[in-house]
Amino acid sequence: MDRTPVYLDWNATAPLSDAARAAWLEAQTSAWGNPTSVHALGQAARHHLDRAKTDLARMLGCRAHELVATSGGSEANALAIRGATAIRGVATEPPDAAIVVSAVEHSSVLRNAAATGRQVRTATVDALGRVTVDSLSAVLDAQVGLVCLQFANNEIGTVQDVPALVALVRQRAPQALVLLDCAQGAGKRRLDLAALGVDLASVAGHKFGAPKGVGLLYVRTGVRLNPLIAGGRQQQDRRSGTEDAAAVCALTAALAESLDHAAVVEARLAGWFTTAWLHISQDLPLARRNGADDRFNAGGDRLASVLSLVHPGVSGEALVARLDLAGFCVSTGAACMAARGEPSHVLLALGLPVEWARSAVRVSAGPGTTEAEIDAFATAYVREVAAMRPSPT
Ligand SMILES: Cc1ncc(COP(=O)(O)O)c(C=O)c1O
């Protein structure tokens, strides 16, 4: 390819940030020892790790010892769901304790919930992708041991009303733990985990500029987990294995940098996407924006960095391939599902017909995106959809 493609797939992964690269290199050079070794080099790594976790705790509204470093969001969700349901003598443990998931959860939540063998109940969402008080109430009772919710959706950007939903869980199923998947929220919005009132929360570093292969699970003080990985009892025996201080330092630097600019980035993307959507909807009157009305509001109830589009009569897969040839990296939906060619369960949960869901294209932007790139995408989308549609006779 003779020119750099326009990258509009930030919800799949973000490029490594300069701050993360510098922090990784510094830690890997000056503190590469094993953090559990008692000698000076080991203690240098321990010091880096402890300092990073203290900084992370300050940014995420929790305490340092409540953070477990994982390999990413999927492992954090797996550890939360499988680890919490395997602890004896707590509400999540009895074989008849049910797990509640929302219909728009990521596959790492859905598949790990299913793998526990527990009854899994699904809280439906409305046409905008929101779990409502009524839909959650309908699946809560004294049998529920764990409720899995999302901060923001990866495909359509819907941000859930977490405080209201957590309050409802405390009222209707006070014994249940709440897991909040923050893979698409961390770094894009400032999160205060203690104030949100959840028990467990997952973070994926590569979504906001950390290297791939590092994430976090927040485990509120008092919540116990069985480890998925047994071994040297690192991280208070919640996740064994030599800790990667450099990766955690890189994640910390990436989060700090993202949060410094998050509000400004989202505000400017809101403006640019509003213009792009106006262009697309005027030129393609049958196009629909999923999970949202026409406005893009920074800081509101959906991430302004995501535009999920459908259009009747086109194949999303073919459209993504054409856009790729035209120099735009976008996806049909979640990167892991796109490879399987199935219609998105998120779009189906909104009530979209299968054929519409199959036409989906997800565009997601980040701090490095420019106005010119979003404008150029809108023009290319209109052109490619028009080319794929039989012309009116
Ligand atoms: C909402 C959500 N949860 C979990 C994950 C999994 O994170 P990771 O890729 O770090 O395993 C993703 C990644 O796409 C996600 O978007």
Side-chain angles (χ1 to χ4, degrees), residues 209-296:
K212 287 161 202 52
V214 60
L216 297 171
L217 179 65
Y218 159 74
V219 186
R220 185 179 56 71
T221 303
V223 173
R224 289 183 301 138
L225 291 180
N226 243 29
L228 285 184
I229 305 171
R233 300 185 194 281
Q234 286 90 346
Q235 307 203 66
Q236 295 151 281
D237 204 12
R238 294 173 296 191
R239 197 230 192 216
S240 285
T242 301
E243 293 147 285
D244 188 346
V248 177
C249 289
L251 184 148
T252 308
L255 186 61
E257 191 182 41
S258 300
L259 290 179
D260 275 352
H261 307 292
V264 173
V265 168
E266 198 182 356
R268 73 177 182 228
L269 291 176
W272 298 342
F273 270 131
T274 301
T275 309
W277 171 233
L278 205 67
H279 173 175
I280 292 169
S281 55
Q282 271 168 4
D283 287 8
L284 298 171
L286 298 180
R288 285 236 312 252
R289 182 184 167 212
N290 298 313
D293 52 26
D294 284 350
R295 286 162 298 116
F296 284 78

Coordinates of all heavy atoms in Angstrom, one line a residue, residues 209-296:
G209 N -4.1 3.1 24.5 CA -2.7 3.4 24.3 C -1.7 2.7 25.0 O -0.5 2.9 24.9
A210 N -2.1 1.7 25.9 CA -1.1 0.8 26.6 C -0.8 -0.3 25.6 O -1.5 -0.5 24.6 CB -1.7 0.3 27.8
P211 N 0.3 -1.0 25.8 CA 0.6 -2.2 24.9 C -0.5 -3.2 25.1 O -1.2 -3.3 26.1 CB 1.9 -2.7 25.5 CG 2.4 -1.9 26.6 CD 1.3 -0.9 26.9
K212 N -0.7 -4.1 24.1 CA -1.6 -5.2 24.2 C -1.0 -6.2 25.2 O 0.2 -6.2 25.4 CB -1.8 -5.9 22.9 CG -2.7 -5.1 21.9 CD -2.5 -5.5 20.5 CE -2.9 -4.4 19.6 NZ -2.3 -3.1 19.8
G213 N -1.9 -6.9 25.9 CA -1.4 -7.8 26.9 C -1.4 -7.3 28.3 O -0.7 -8.0 29.2
V214 N -2.0 -6.2 28.6 CA -2.1 -5.8 30.0 C -3.4 -5.1 30.3 O -3.9 -4.4 29.5 CB -0.9 -4.8 30.4 CG1 -0.9 -3.6 29.6 CG2 -1.0 -4.5 31.9
G215 N -4.0 -5.5 31.4 CA -5.3 -5.0 31.8 C -5.4 -5.0 33.3 O -4.4 -5.3 34.0
L216 N -6.6 -4.7 33.8 CA -6.8 -4.7 35.3 C -8.1 -5.3 35.6 O -9.1 -5.1 34.9 CB -6.8 -3.2 35.7 CG -5.6 -2.3 35.6 CD1 -5.9 -0.9 35.9 CD2 -4.4 -2.8 36.4
L217 N -8.1 -5.9 36.8 CA -9.4 -6.2 37.4 C -9.4 -5.5 38.8 O -8.5 -5.7 39.6 CB -9.6 -7.7 37.6 CG -10.9 -8.1 38.3 CD1 -12.1 -7.7 37.4 CD2 -11.0 -9.5 38.7
Y218 N -10.5 -4.7 39.0 CA -10.7 -4.0 40.3 C -11.5 -5.0 41.1 O -12.5 -5.5 40.6 CB -11.5 -2.7 40.1 CG -12.2 -2.2 41.3 CD1 -11.6 -1.6 42.4 CD2 -13.6 -2.3 41.3 CE1 -12.3 -1.2 43.5 CE2 -14.3 -1.8 42.4 CZ -13.6 -1.3 43.5 OH -14.3 -0.8 44.6
V219 N -11.0 -5.3 42.3 CA -11.7 -6.2 43.2 C -11.9 -5.4 44.5 O -11.0 -5.2 45.3 CB -10.9 -7.5 43.5 CG1 -11.7 -8.5 44.3 CG2 -10.4 -8.1 42.2
R220 N -13.2 -5.0 44.8 CA -13.4 -4.2 45.9 C -13.0 -4.9 47.2 O -13.1 -6.1 47.3 CB -15.0 -3.9 46.0 CG -15.3 -3.0 47.1 CD -16.8 -2.7 47.2 NE -17.7 -3.8 47.2 CZ -17.8 -4.6 48.3 NH1 -17.2 -4.3 49.4 NH2 -18.6 -5.7 48.3
T221 N -12.5 -4.2 48.2 CA -12.0 -4.7 49.4 C -13.1 -5.6 50.0 O -14.3 -5.1 50.1 CB -11.6 -3.6 50.4 OG1 -10.6 -2.8 49.8 CG2 -11.1 -4.2 51.7
G222 N -12.8 -6.8 50.4 CA -13.8 -7.7 51.0 C -14.3 -8.7 50.0 O -14.9 -9.7 50.4
V223 N -14.2 -8.5 48.7 CA -14.7 -9.4 47.7 C -13.5 -10.5 47.5 O -12.4 -10.1 47.3 CB -15.0 -8.7 46.4 CG1 -15.3 -9.8 45.3 CG2 -16.2 -7.8 46.6
R224 N -13.9 -11.7 47.6 CA -12.9 -12.8 47.4 C -13.0 -13.5 46.1 O -14.1 -13.6 45.6 CB -13.0 -13.8 48.6 CG -12.5 -13.2 49.9 CD -12.5 -14.2 51.0 NE -13.9 -14.8 51.2 CZ -14.1 -16.0 51.4 NH1 -13.1 -16.9 51.4 NH2 -15.4 -16.4 51.6
L225 N -11.9 -13.9 45.5 CA -11.9 -14.6 44.2 C -11.0 -15.8 44.3 O -10.0 -15.8 44.9 CB -11.3 -13.6 43.1 CG -12.0 -12.4 42.7 CD1 -11.1 -11.7 41.7 CD2 -13.3 -12.7 42.1
N226 N -11.4 -16.8 43.6 CA -10.6 -18.0 43.4 C -9.7 -17.6 42.2 O -10.2 -17.2 41.2 CB -11.4 -19.2 43.0 CG -11.2 -20.3 44.0 OD1 -11.0 -20.0 45.2 ND2 -11.4 -21.5 43.6
P227 N -8.4 -17.8 42.3 CA -7.6 -17.5 41.1 C -7.8 -18.4 39.9 O -8.1 -19.5 40.1 CB -6.1 -17.6 41.6 CG -6.2 -18.6 42.8 CD -7.6 -18.4 43.4
L228 N -7.7 -17.8 38.7 CA -7.8 -18.7 37.5 C -6.4 -19.3 37.3 O -6.3 -20.4 36.8 CB -8.0 -17.8 36.3 CG -9.4 -17.3 36.0 CD1 -9.4 -16.5 34.7 CD2 -10.4 -18.4 36.0
I229 N -5.4 -18.6 37.7 CA -4.0 -19.1 37.5 C -3.4 -19.3 38.9 O -3.2 -18.3 39.7 CB -3.1 -18.1 36.7 CG1 -3.8 -17.8 35.4 CG2 -1.7 -18.7 36.5 CD1 -3.1 -16.6 34.6
A230 N -3.1 -20.6 39.3 CA -2.5 -20.8 40.6 C -1.0 -20.9 40.4 O -0.5 -21.3 39.3 CB -3.1 -22.1 41.2
G231 N -0.3 -20.6 41.4 CA 1.2 -20.7 41.3 C 1.8 -20.0 42.4 O 1.5 -20.3 43.6
G232 N 2.7 -19.0 42.2 CA 3.5 -18.3 43.2 C 2.7 -17.3 44.1 O 3.4 -16.6 44.9
R233 N 1.4 -17.3 44.0 CA 0.6 -16.5 44.9 C 0.8 -15.0 44.8 O 0.6 -14.2 45.7 CB 0.7 -16.9 46.4 CG 0.4 -18.3 46.7 CD 0.5 -18.6 48.2 NE 0.5 -20.0 48.5 CZ -0.6 -20.8 48.4 NH1 -1.8 -20.2 48.2 NH2 -0.5 -22.0 48.7
Q234 N 1.3 -14.5 43.6 CA 1.4 -13.1 43.4 C 0.1 -12.4 43.5 O -1.0 -13.0 43.3 CB 2.1 -12.8 42.1 CG 3.6 -13.1 42.0 CD 3.9 -14.5 41.6 OE1 3.0 -15.4 41.5 NE2 5.1 -14.8 41.2
Q235 N 0.1 -11.1 43.6 CA -1.1 -10.2 43.7 C -2.1 -10.8 44.7 O -3.3 -11.0 44.3 CB -1.7 -10.1 42.3 CG -0.7 -9.6 41.2 CD -1.3 -8.9 40.0 OE1 -1.9 -7.9 40.2 NE2 -1.2 -9.5 38.9
Q236 N -1.6 -11.0 45.9 CA -2.5 -11.6 47.0 C -3.2 -12.8 46.6 O -4.4 -13.0 46.9 CB -3.5 -10.5 47.5 CG -2.8 -9.3 48.1 CD -3.5 -8.1 47.9 OE1 -3.5 -7.4 46.9 NE2 -4.3 -7.7 49.0
D237 N -2.5 -13.7 45.8 CA -3.0 -15.0 45.4 C -4.3 -14.8 44.5 O -5.1 -15.8 44.4 CB -3.3 -15.9 46.6 CG -3.3 -17.4 46.2 OD1 -2.8 -17.6 45.0 OD2 -3.7 -18.2 46.9
R238 N -4.5 -13.7 43.9 CA -5.6 -13.5 43.0 C -5.2 -13.8 41.5 O -6.1 -14.1 40.7 CB -6.2 -12.1 43.1 CG -6.8 -11.9 44.5 CD -7.3 -10.5 44.7 NE -6.1 -9.6 44.6 CZ -6.2 -8.3 45.0 NH1 -7.3 -7.8 45.4 NH2 -5.1 -7.5 44.9
R239 N -3.9 -13.7 41.3 CA -3.4 -14.0 39.9 C -1.9 -14.3 40.0 O -1.1 -13.4 40.1 CB -3.7 -12.9 39.0 CG -3.6 -13.3 37.5 CD -2.7 -12.4 36.7 NE -2.8 -12.6 35.3 CZ -1.8 -12.5 34.5 NH1 -0.6 -12.2 35.0 NH2 -1.9 -12.7 33.2
S240 N -1.6 -15.6 40.0 CA -0.2 -16.0 40.1 C 0.5 -15.7 38.8 O -0.1 -15.6 37.7 CB 0.0 -17.5 40.4 OG -0.4 -17.7 41.8
G241 N 1.9 -15.6 38.8 CA 2.7 -15.4 37.7 C 3.5 -14.1 37.9 O 3.0 -13.2 38.6
T242 N 4.8 -14.1 37.4 CA 5.6 -13.0 37.6 C 5.0 -11.7 37.1 O 4.5 -11.7 36.0 CB 7.0 -13.2 36.9 OG1 7.6 -14.4 37.5 CG2 7.9 -12.1 37.1
E243 N 4.9 -10.7 38.0 CA 4.2 -9.5 37.6 C 5.1 -8.7 36.5 O 6.3 -8.6 36.7 CB 4.0 -8.6 38.8 CG 3.0 -9.2 39.7 CD 3.3 -8.9 41.2 OE1 4.2 -9.4 41.7 OE2 2.6 -8.0 41.7
D244 N 4.4 -8.1 35.6 CA 5.1 -7.3 34.5 C 5.0 -5.9 34.9 O 4.1 -5.1 34.5 CB 4.4 -7.6 33.2 CG 5.1 -7.0 32.0 OD1 6.0 -6.2 32.2 OD2 4.8 -7.4 30.8
A245 N 6.0 -5.4 35.7 CA 6.0 -4.1 36.2 C 6.0 -3.1 35.0 O 5.3 -2.0 35.0 CB 7.2 -3.8 37.1
A246 N 6.8 -3.3 34.0 CA 6.9 -2.4 32.9 C 5.5 -2.2 32.2 O 5.2 -1.1 31.8 CB 8.0 -2.9 31.9
A247 N 4.8 -3.3 32.0 CA 3.5 -3.2 31.3 C 2.5 -2.4 32.2 O 1.8 -1.6 31.6 CB 3.0 -4.6 31.1
V248 N 2.6 -2.6 33.5 CA 1.7 -1.9 34.4 C 2.1 -0.4 34.4 O 1.2 0.5 34.4 CB 1.6 -2.5 35.8 CG1 0.7 -1.7 36.7 CG2 1.1 -3.9 35.7
C249 N 3.4 -0.1 34.3 CA 3.8 1.3 34.3 C 3.3 1.9 33.0 O 2.9 3.1 32.9 CB 5.3 1.4 34.4 SG 5.9 1.0 36.0
A250 N 3.4 1.2 31.9 CA 3.0 1.7 30.6 C 1.5 2.0 30.6 O 1.0 3.0 30.1 CB 3.3 0.7 29.5
L251 N 0.7 1.0 31.2 CA -0.8 1.2 31.2 C -1.1 2.5 32.1 O -2.0 3.3 31.7 CB -1.4 0.0 31.9 CG -2.9 0.0 32.0 CD1 -3.4 -1.5 31.8 CD2 -3.4 0.6 33.3
T252 N -0.3 2.7 33.1 CA -0.6 3.8 34.0 C -0.3 5.1 33.3 O -1.1 6.1 33.3 CB 0.4 3.8 35.3 OG1 0.2 2.5 35.9 CG2 0.0 4.8 36.3
A253 N 0.8 5.2 32.5 CA 1.1 6.4 31.7 C 0.1 6.6 30.7 O -0.3 7.8 30.4 CB 2.5 6.2 31.1
A254 N -0.4 5.5 30.0 CA -1.4 5.7 28.9 C -2.7 6.2 29.5 O -3.3 7.1 28.9 CB -1.6 4.4 28.2
L255 N -3.1 5.7 30.7 CA -4.3 6.2 31.3 C -4.2 7.6 31.7 O -5.2 8.4 31.4 CB -4.7 5.3 32.5 CG -6.0 5.5 33.1 CD1 -7.2 5.3 32.1 CD2 -6.3 4.7 34.3
A256 N -3.1 8.0 32.3 CA -2.9 9.4 32.7 C -3.0 10.3 31.5 O -3.7 11.3 31.5 CB -1.6 9.6 33.4
E257 N -2.3 10.0 30.4 CA -2.3 10.8 29.2 C -3.7 10.9 28.6 O -4.2 11.9 28.2 CB -1.3 10.2 28.2 CG -1.1 11.2 27.0 CD -0.2 10.6 26.0 OE1 -0.3 9.4 25.7 OE2 0.6 11.4 25.5
S258 N -4.4 9.7 28.5 CA -5.8 9.7 28.0 C -6.7 10.6 28.8 O -7.5 11.4 28.2 CB -6.3 8.3 27.9 OG -5.5 7.5 27.2
L259 N -6.7 10.4 30.1 CA -7.6 11.2 30.9 C -7.4 12.7 30.9 O -8.3 13.5 31.0 CB -7.6 10.7 32.4 CG -8.2 9.3 32.5 CD1 -8.1 8.8 34.0 CD2 -9.6 9.2 32.1
D260 N -6.1 13.0 30.7 CA -5.8 14.5 30.6 C -6.5 15.1 29.5 O -6.8 16.3 29.5 CB -4.3 14.7 30.4 CG -3.5 14.7 31.7 OD1 -4.1 14.7 32.7 OD2 -2.2 14.6 31.6
H261 N -6.7 14.4 28.4 CA -7.3 15.0 27.2 C -8.7 14.4 26.9 O -9.3 14.8 25.9 CB -6.4 14.7 26.0 CG -5.0 15.1 26.2 ND1 -4.6 16.4 26.3 CD2 -3.9 14.4 26.4 CE1 -3.3 16.5 26.6 NE2 -2.8 15.3 26.6
A262 N -9.2 13.5 27.7 CA -10.4 12.7 27.3 C -11.6 13.7 26.9 O -12.3 13.5 25.9 CB -10.8 11.7 28.3
A263 N -11.9 14.6 27.8 CA -13.1 15.5 27.6 C -12.9 16.3 26.3 O -13.9 16.4 25.6 CB -13.3 16.4 28.8
V264 N -11.7 16.8 26.1 CA -11.5 17.6 24.9 C -11.6 16.8 23.7 O -12.2 17.2 22.7 CB -10.1 18.3 25.0 CG1 -9.7 19.0 23.7 CG2 -10.0 19.2 26.2
V265 N -11.0 15.6 23.7 CA -11.0 14.7 22.6 C -12.5 14.3 22.2 O -12.9 14.4 21.1 CB -10.2 13.4 22.8 CG1 -10.5 12.3 21.8 CG2 -8.7 13.7 22.9
E266 N -13.3 14.0 23.3 CA -14.6 13.5 23.0 C -15.5 14.7 22.4 O -16.3 14.5 21.5 CB -15.3 12.9 24.3 CG -16.5 12.1 23.8 CD -17.3 11.5 25.0 OE1 -16.9 11.6 26.1 OE2 -18.4 10.9 24.7
A267 N -15.2 15.9 23.0 CA -16.0 17.1 22.5 C -15.7 17.3 21.0 O -16.6 17.6 20.2 CB -15.7 18.3 23.3
R268 N -14.4 17.2 20.6 CA -14.1 17.5 19.2 C -14.6 16.4 18.3 O -15.1 16.7 17.2 CB -12.7 17.9 19.0 CG -11.7 16.8 19.1 CD -10.3 17.4 18.7 NE -9.4 16.2 18.8 CZ -8.2 16.2 19.4 NH1 -7.8 17.3 20.1 NH2 -7.4 15.2 19.4
L269 N -14.6 15.2 18.8 CA -15.1 14.1 17.9 C -16.6 14.2 17.8 O -17.2 13.9 16.7 CB -14.7 12.7 18.6 CG -13.2 12.3 18.5 CD1 -13.0 11.0 19.3 CD2 -12.7 12.2 17.1
A270 N -17.3 14.6 18.8 CA -18.7 14.8 18.8 C -19.1 15.8 17.6 O -20.0 15.5 16.8 CB -19.3 15.4 20.1
G271 N -18.3 16.9 17.5 CA -18.6 17.9 16.5 C -18.3 17.3 15.1 O -19.1 17.4 14.2
W272 N -17.2 16.6 15.0 CA -16.8 16.1 13.6 C -17.8 15.0 13.2 O -18.2 14.9 12.0 CB -15.4 15.5 13.7 CG -14.4 16.6 14.0 CD1 -14.5 18.0 13.9 CD2 -13.0 16.4 14.4 NE1 -13.4 18.6 14.3 CE2 -12.5 17.7 14.6 CE3 -12.3 15.3 14.7 CZ2 -11.1 17.8 15.1 CZ3 -11.0 15.4 15.2 CH2 -10.4 16.7 15.3
F273 N -18.2 14.1 14.1 CA -19.1 13.0 13.8 C -20.5 13.6 13.5 O -21.2 13.0 12.7 CB -19.2 12.0 14.9 CG -18.2 10.8 14.7 CD1 -17.4 10.4 15.8 CD2 -18.0 10.2 13.5 CE1 -16.4 9.4 15.6 CE2 -17.1 9.1 13.3 CZ -16.3 8.8 14.4
T274 N -20.9 14.6 14.2 CA -22.2 15.2 13.9 C -22.3 15.7 12.4 O -23.2 15.4 11.7 CB -22.5 16.4 14.8 OG1 -22.4 16.0 16.2 CG2 -23.8 17.1 14.6
T275 N -21.2 16.3 12.0 CA -21.1 16.8 10.6 C -21.1 15.6 9.6 O -21.8 15.6 8.6 CB -19.8 17.6 10.4 OG1 -19.8 18.6 11.4 CG2 -19.8 18.3 9.0
A276 N -20.3 14.6 10.0 CA -20.2 13.4 9.1 C -21.5 12.7 9.0 O -22.0 12.3 7.9 CB -19.1 12.4 9.7
W277 N -22.2 12.6 10.1 CA -23.5 11.9 10.1 C -24.6 12.7 9.3 O -25.4 12.1 8.5 CB -24.0 11.6 11.5 CG -25.4 11.0 11.6 CD1 -26.4 11.5 12.4 CD2 -25.9 9.9 10.9 NE1 -27.5 10.8 12.2 CE2 -27.3 9.8 11.3 CE3 -25.5 9.0 9.9 CZ2 -28.2 8.8 10.8 CZ3 -26.3 8.0 9.4 CH2 -27.6 8.0 9.8
L278 N -24.5 14.0 9.4 CA -25.4 14.8 8.6 C -25.2 14.6 7.1 O -26.1 14.4 6.3 CB -25.1 16.3 9.0 CG -26.2 17.3 8.8 CD1 -27.3 17.0 9.8 CD2 -25.7 18.7 9.0
H279 N -23.9 14.6 6.7 CA -23.5 14.3 5.3 C -24.1 13.0 4.9 O -24.7 12.9 3.9 CB -22.0 14.4 5.3 CG -21.4 14.0 3.9 ND1 -20.0 14.1 3.7 CD2 -21.9 13.5 2.8 CE1 -19.8 13.7 2.4 NE2 -20.9 13.3 1.9
I280 N -23.8 11.9 5.7 CA -24.2 10.6 5.3 C -25.7 10.5 5.2 O -26.3 10.0 4.3 CB -23.6 9.5 6.3 CG1 -22.1 9.5 6.2 CG2 -24.3 8.2 6.1 CD1 -21.4 8.7 7.3
S281 N -26.4 11.0 6.2 CA -27.9 10.8 6.3 C -28.6 11.7 5.2 O -29.7 11.3 4.7 CB -28.4 11.1 7.7 OG -28.0 12.4 8.1
Q282 N -27.9 12.8 4.8 CA -28.5 13.5 3.7 C -28.3 12.8 2.3 O -29.3 12.7 1.5 CB -27.9 14.9 3.6 CG -28.6 15.9 4.5 CD -27.9 17.2 4.7 OE1 -26.8 17.4 4.1 NE2 -28.4 18.1 5.5
D283 N -27.2 12.3 2.1 CA -26.9 11.6 0.8 C -27.4 10.2 0.7 O -27.7 9.7 -0.4 CB -25.4 11.6 0.6 CG -24.8 13.0 0.2 OD1 -25.6 13.9 0.4 OD2 -23.6 13.1 -0.1
L284 N -27.6 9.6 1.9 CA -28.1 8.2 1.9 C -29.3 8.2 2.9 O -29.2 7.8 4.1 CB -27.1 7.2 2.4 CG -25.8 7.1 1.6 CD1 -24.8 6.2 2.3 CD2 -26.1 6.4 0.2
P285 N -30.5 8.6 2.4 CA -31.6 8.7 3.4 C -32.0 7.4 4.0 O -32.7 7.4 5.1 CB -32.8 9.2 2.5 CG -32.2 9.5 1.2 CD -30.8 9.0 1.1
L286 N -31.6 6.3 3.5 CA -32.0 5.0 4.2 C -31.0 4.6 5.2 O -31.2 3.6 5.9 CB -32.1 3.9 3.1 CG -33.2 4.1 2.1 CD1 -33.2 2.9 1.1 CD2 -34.5 4.2 2.7
A287 N -29.9 5.3 5.3 CA -28.8 4.9 6.4 C -29.4 5.2 7.7 O -30.2 6.1 8.0 CB -27.6 5.7 6.1
R288 N -29.0 4.3 8.7 CA -29.4 4.5 10.1 C -28.2 4.5 11.0 O -27.3 3.7 10.7 CB -30.4 3.4 10.5 CG -31.8 3.6 9.9 CD -32.9 3.6 11.0 NE -32.9 2.5 12.0 CZ -33.7 1.5 12.0 NH1 -34.6 1.4 11.1 NH2 -33.7 0.7 13.0
R289 N -28.3 5.3 12.0 CA -27.2 5.3 13.1 C -27.7 4.4 14.2 O -28.8 4.7 14.7 CB -26.9 6.7 13.5 CG -25.8 6.8 14.5 CD -25.6 8.2 15.0 NE -24.7 8.0 16.2 CZ -24.7 8.8 17.2 NH1 -25.6 9.9 17.3 NH2 -23.9 8.6 18.3
N290 N -27.0 3.4 14.6 CA -27.5 2.5 15.6 C -27.3 3.0 17.1 O -26.2 3.6 17.4 CB -26.7 1.2 15.5 CG -26.9 0.5 14.2 OD1 -28.1 0.4 13.8 ND2 -25.9 0.1 13.6
G291 N -28.3 2.7 17.9 CA -28.1 3.0 19.3 C -28.1 4.4 19.7 O -27.6 4.8 20.7
A292 N -28.6 5.3 18.8 CA -28.5 6.7 19.1 C -29.4 7.5 18.2 O -29.9 7.1 17.2 CB -27.1 7.2 18.8
D293 N -29.7 8.8 18.7 CA -30.4 9.7 17.8 C -29.4 10.5 17.0 O -28.2 10.1 17.0 CB -31.3 10.6 18.7 CG -30.5 11.3 19.8 OD1 -29.3 11.4 19.6 OD2 -31.1 11.6 20.8
D294 N -29.8 11.6 16.5 CA -28.9 12.3 15.6 C -27.7 13.0 16.2 O -26.7 13.3 15.6 CB -29.6 13.3 14.7 CG -30.4 12.5 13.6 OD1 -30.2 11.3 13.5 OD2 -31.3 13.1 13.0
R295 N -27.8 13.3 17.5 CA -26.8 14.2 18.1 C -25.7 13.4 18.7 O -25.8 12.3 19.1 CB -27.5 15.0 19.3 CG -28.3 16.1 18.8 CD -29.3 16.6 19.8 NE -30.2 15.5 20.3 CZ -30.2 15.0 21.5 NH1 -29.4 15.4 22.4 NH2 -31.0 14.0 21.8
F296 N -24.5 14.0 18.7 CA -23.3 13.4 19.4 C -23.0 14.4 20.5 O -22.6 15.5 20.3 CB -22.1 13.4 18.4 CG -22.2 12.3 17.4 CD1 -23.0 12.4 16.3 CD2 -21.5 11.1 17.6 CE1 -23.1 11.4 15.4 CE2 -21.5 10.1 16.7 CZ -22.3 10.2 15.6

